[in-house]
């Protein structure tokens, strides 16, 4: 992952939140870990997206991989592992505390990042 010097357009707090989001953590989880409100995380997230010109968390991974490398987020890696174990999307969702729709969305992002 890039060091602070490689994300100079972000503040220290934004960098911290950036790396937490890359780990696949929700805004609520980040807020709890940093002892701030979910609304504050959402505002930082909004500024991060604007400064890096991205629209979703999965796009943040390109800043972690460098040179356009398609990197799976920690959450995506976790889902891949569970899929390899033969788990269904519904079982993964229950296990990770996500909706089935969210797991399906992660699966689409994973497919989009895999080489042809």
């Amino acid at each position: 992952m890039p060091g602070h010097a490689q994300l100079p357009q972000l503040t220290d707090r934004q960098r911290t939140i950036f790396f937490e989001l890359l780990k696949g953590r929700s805004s609520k989880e980040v807020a709890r870990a940093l002892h701030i409100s979910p609304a504050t995380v959402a505002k930082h997230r909004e500024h991060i997206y604007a400064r890096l010109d991205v629209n979703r968390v999965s796009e943040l991974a390109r800043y972690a991989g460098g040179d356009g490398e398609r990197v799976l987020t920690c959450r995506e890696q976790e889902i891949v592992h569970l899929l390899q174990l033969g788990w269904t999307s519904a079982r993964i969702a229950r296990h990770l505390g996500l909706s089935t729709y969210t797991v399906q969305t992660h699966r689409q992002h994973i497919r989009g990042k895999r080489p042809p």
Side-chain angles (χ1 to χ4, degrees), residues 7-116:
L7 292 169
Q9 63 272 51
L10 300 182
T11 66
D12 286 341
R13 180 59 104 181
Q14 289 169 344
R15 279 188 217 93
T16 299
I17 291 171
F18 169 89
F19 289 115
E20 291 299 311
L21 294 172
L22 275 182
K23 292 176 187 175
R25 296 201 170 128
S26 69
S27 291
K28 284 183 183 179
E29 291 170 323
V30 174
R32 229 175 289 125
L34 300 178
H35 307 289
I36 58 178
S37 76
T40 300
V41 173
K43 188 51 88 173
H44 281 301
R45 187 178 182 146
E46 193 178 300
H47 292 146
I48 292 166
Y49 286 10
R51 289 182 179 188
L52 299 179
D53 193 28
V54 299
N55 296 308
R56 62 179 81 91
V57 172
S58 61
E59 293 176 8
L60 294 177
R62 74 177 173 217
Y63 288 92
D67 299 330
E69 182 183 339
R70 297 171 141 192
V71 177
L72 295 180
T73 65
C74 291
R75 179 68 82 188
E76 290 168 344
Q77 291 174 24
E78 188 174 16
I79 289 171
V80 167
H81 173 72
L82 296 173
L83 289 168
Q84 289 170 337
L85 294 176
W87 288 28
T88 65
S89 291
R91 184 174 178 192
I92 293 169
R94 281 191 306 275
H95 178 72
L96 298 177
L98 304 172
S99 71
T100 304
Y101 175 81
T102 299
V103 173
Q104 295 289 359
T105 301
H106 280 300
R107 290 181 74 167
Q108 289 173 347
H109 293 158
I110 292 164
R111 280 192 291 276
K113 292 179 180 182
R114 290 212 167 145

